[in-house]
Amino acid sequence: MIRQNFSTKLVNNLMRYATNNYLHLEPANLDKLPPPLPHKVKNKSYLLYIHVPFCMTLCTYCSFNRFLFQEDKAKKYFESLRQEMLKVKELGYDFSSIYVGGGTTSIMPDELCKTLDLAKSLFGIQEVSCESDPNHLQKETLESFKGRIDRLSVGVQTFDDGILRKIGRYEKFGSGEETIKKLEGAIGILPILNVDLIFNFPNQTQEMLARDLEIIKKLKPNQLTTYPLMSSPSVKSILKRSIGLVNLDNEAKLYEQILDTLKEDFTPLSSWAFSHKGSEIFDEYVVDNDEYVGIGSGSFSFLNGTLYVNTFSLKEYSKRISEGKMGVVRQRKYSKKSQLQYRLMVELFGGKVSAKQFREKYNSNLEWDLFKELLFLKLTKNIYKKGEDYYPTREGKYLFLSMMKEFYIGMDKVREESRAMLKEEDM
């Protein structure tokens, strides 16, 4: 049985300590990101992350950089976004994949299409993943994305009307039944449709989750992503007042229920992502891409061991781009040991860590450089070895899901710190 055991609690505490201490950023006195370094790794590729920070209404539990939609500001923003993209091209980067996040990425479909068209003309793009929501599944909009977006990820969260009302999504996106109808109309238009569900809402029962999962099994989307509810401290206090406290013991129970319910119809892609009958295109850019470039206000880049963060201010972002600069304003350099520990977590979350890949990509002897970490994971029965590779056990899948949750909560804290600096004129 999967449960919140000693190793899970210990590792989560260590993750909280690490994120609290190692995600503090320093000012970056840079006009632009550094250019790509010559790499010895064959077929080295980067991912391009594009951030669209506008929404019609703001969800209380979201920590991402987002602003209330104003058409004039959004149009100007997309123009700046494309200018920053040209700067990235000038630096010498190329990309095989794009991930568009938000905000509401499809809030201005024509501008999004124009931006993706530019990216495809500049870079060797092979696949594009884009976030969306139930309000942007109109057939006309989806048809315009053909040939531009390969994978559309729809943030559904739950089909339970009671939970939807408590988190403010019922009024924004409609009932669970309305969302089901929208998804039915959307499936099949684009190559891949992914549905995002959140589990372990306060007071969510196994029966509630079972209904959500049965709906998914009937809908048969190409992919399903099941996130545990995660929130930074300030968001957690908002959720506590609106829907109650999160029960971590219930989280482990519900996660086991997800694995058992989906095993016949879906193939695991990571600890929280599943494909239906082998539709395998993956959205976790931190798993498949150890380095990525982010453009747009509030985006993150990770290059050569350094985390870079773009300004969260729309005003400053526009000003920097108009001056021929990029949006980067803060950074943090990490040691090789920290980078290897991070990659170990991420790749086990993704289902496998390869000793050969560690040698080729990171010039590292996995079993020597991370001996203590691997020993702990083996002794606590969270991983097993097959050949040169390590895989998570069933309990390990939950451990690495918990670790990624803590990592994302830490990144949410960075976003909150950045947003806390904003003044009214920055919005």
Side-chain angles (χ1 to χ4, degrees):
M1 176 181 286
I2 298 175
R3 60 188 184 278
Q4 280 275 335
N5 57 25
F6 167 77
S7 62
T8 307
K9 292 176 181 176
L10 175 62
V11 170
N12 282 346
N13 285 333
L14 290 172
M15 282 296 297
R16 288 183 202 119
Y17 173 82
T19 56
N20 285 335
N21 285 273
Y22 298 117
L23 283 177
H24 291 296
L25 306 178
E26 303 164 349
N29 297 314
L30 301 171
D31 289 343
K32 54 190 174 182
L33 289 169
L37 295 176
H39 286 279
K40 296 179 182 178
V41 181
K42 291 182 181 178
N43 302 318
K44 171 70 180 178
S45 64
Y46 299 86
L47 177 136
L48 177 64
Y49 175 80
I50 301 173
H51 193 70
V52 180
F54 299 100
C55 294
M56 289 297 185
T57 59
L58 305 181
C59 296
T60 55
Y61 56 84
C62 178
S63 297
F64 282 82
N65 192 35
R66 72 274 194 273
F67 303 93
L68 284 172
F69 175 70
Q70 296 179 42
E71 185 173 352
D72 57 336
K73 287 187 177 181
K75 186 173 178 59
K76 183 178 180 181
Y77 177 84
F78 273 103
E79 291 170 358
S80 295
L81 202 57
R82 292 189 286 271
Q83 287 299 312
E84 189 173 27
M85 190 186 296
L86 291 170
K87 294 293 179 187
V88 172
K89 175 67 176 179
E90 289 173 8
L91 289 171
Y93 285 97
D94 196 12
F95 305 98
S96 59
S97 302
I98 292 175
Y99 190 97
V100 189
T104 304
T105 60
S106 51
I107 202 159
M108 296 187 77
D110 290 346
E111 289 294 328
L112 177 60
C113 289
K114 193 184 297 185
T115 304
L116 293 177
D117 288 345
L118 176 62
K120 290 193 171 189
S121 73
L122 294 174
F123 309 113
I125 304 300
Q126 298 173 20
E127 60 185 37
V128 176
S129 291
C130 187
E131 296 175 2
S132 189
D133 62 50
N135 282 349
H136 290 82
L137 295 181
Q138 298 91 344
K139 186 175 180 180
E140 182 181 351
T141 300
L142 297 181
E143 291 285 347
S144 72
F145 292 156
K146 280 186 174 181
R148 295 183 170 104
I149 296 175
D150 304 288
R151 177 186 175 281
L152 192 70
S153 183
V154 185
V156 170
Q157 322 315 12
T158 180
F159 298 100
D160 186 275
D161 288 346
I163 296 176
L164 290 172
R165 283 190 174 94
K166 287 180 179 178
I167 62 175
R169 288 180 66 91
Y170 189 93
E171 295 77 9
K172 185 176 181 180
F173 299 115
S175 67
E177 287 300 321
E178 289 174 300
T179 297
I180 291 170
K181 290 177 182 177
K182 291 174 184 176
L183 291 170
E184 286 173 340
I187 291 172
I189 296 178
L190 297 176
I192 301 286
L193 188 131
N194 174 82
V195 174
D196 284 343
L197 290 184
I198 292 177
F199 69 95
N200 201 33
F201 288 102
N203 304 312
Q204 185 182 32
T205 65
Q206 288 184 288
E207 290 73 24
M208 291 175 179
L209 178 60
R211 180 176 178 272
D212 279 352
L213 296 176
E214 284 306 313
I215 290 169
I216 289 295
K217 288 171 72 173
K218 288 179 182 177
L219 284 171
K220 299 179 183 178
N222 308 94
Q223 288 190 356
L224 169 68
T225 307
T226 55
Y227 302 100
L229 182 65
M230 56 185 91
S231 53
S232 56
S234 66
V235 173
K236 191 177 293 184
S237 65
I238 295 171
L239 290 174
K240 181 181 176 181
R241 292 194 299 271
S242 61
I243 58 176
L245 287 169
V246 172
N247 183 335
L248 290 180
D249 290 326
N250 196 48
E251 178 184 275
K253 187 192 304 180
L254 295 178
Y255 181 64
E256 185 166 42
Q257 181 183 349
I258 290 168
L259 295 182
D260 289 340
T261 304
L262 298 179
K263 62 184 178 183
E264 298 297 328
D265 301 285
F266 288 82
T267 302
L269 295 176
S270 74
S271 286
W272 63 37
F274 305 83
S275 68
H276 187 268
K277 296 182 179 179
S279 303
E280 296 186 1
I281 179 175
F282 198 37
D283 76 313
E284 287 294 339
Y285 64 90
V286 295
V287 176
D288 285 346
N289 299 270
D290 54 320
E291 294 189 292
Y292 47 91
V293 171
I295 61 172
S297 173
S299 66
F300 290 52
S301 304
F302 191 78
L303 300 166
N304 194 32
T306 300
L307 178 68
Y308 299 94
V309 179
N310 274 16
T311 176
F312 277 55
S313 164
L314 291 181
K315 180 181 178 182
E316 184 180 6
Y317 179 72
S318 176
K319 182 174 183 293
R320 289 183 66 88
I321 301 303
S322 68
E323 292 172 349
K325 302 176 183 178
M326 294 182 68
V328 58
V329 293
R330 294 202 291 163
Q331 65 180 24
R332 174 69 185 259
K333 177 74 176 175
Y334 294 95
S335 67
K336 183 177 179 180
K337 178 75 171 182
S338 296
Q339 294 176 59
L340 293 177
Q341 289 172 329
Y342 170 74
R343 290 310 307 174
L344 177 67
M345 173 193 73
V346 164
E347 291 178 26
L348 284 168
F349 166 82
K352 181 181 80 170
V353 61
S354 165
K356 179 182 178 183
Q357 189 175 60
F358 260 64
R359 284 195 301 272
E360 293 178 351
K361 292 185 74 173
Y362 313 121
N363 192 28
S364 167
N365 183 316
L366 173 65
E367 296 191 326
W368 179 261
D369 293 336
L370 297 174
F371 172 78
K372 292 180 181 178
E373 291 83 354
L374 290 172
L375 179 62
F376 171 81
L377 292 171
K378 284 187 282 188
L379 291 175
T380 53
K381 299 182 179 179
N382 284 295
I383 61 172
Y384 65 93
K385 189 177 182 183
K386 187 176 179 181
E388 272 198 311
D389 302 330
Y390 289 92
Y391 299 83
T393 62
R394 186 176 170 90
E395 293 77 13
K397 286 183 179 181
Y398 178 63
L399 174 72
F400 300 118
L401 173 140
S402 297
M403 292 178 72
M404 284 299 287
K405 179 184 76 171
E406 292 297 332
F407 171 73
Y408 281 127
I409 289 172
M411 297 298 275
D412 281 346
K413 291 178 184 175
V414 174
R415 294 184 182 99
E416 284 190 348
E417 289 173 4
S418 298
R419 288 187 62 80
M421 299 183 218
L422 298 181
K423 301 174 182 177
E424 189 174 346
E425 59 264 27
D426 290 314
M427 307 295 185

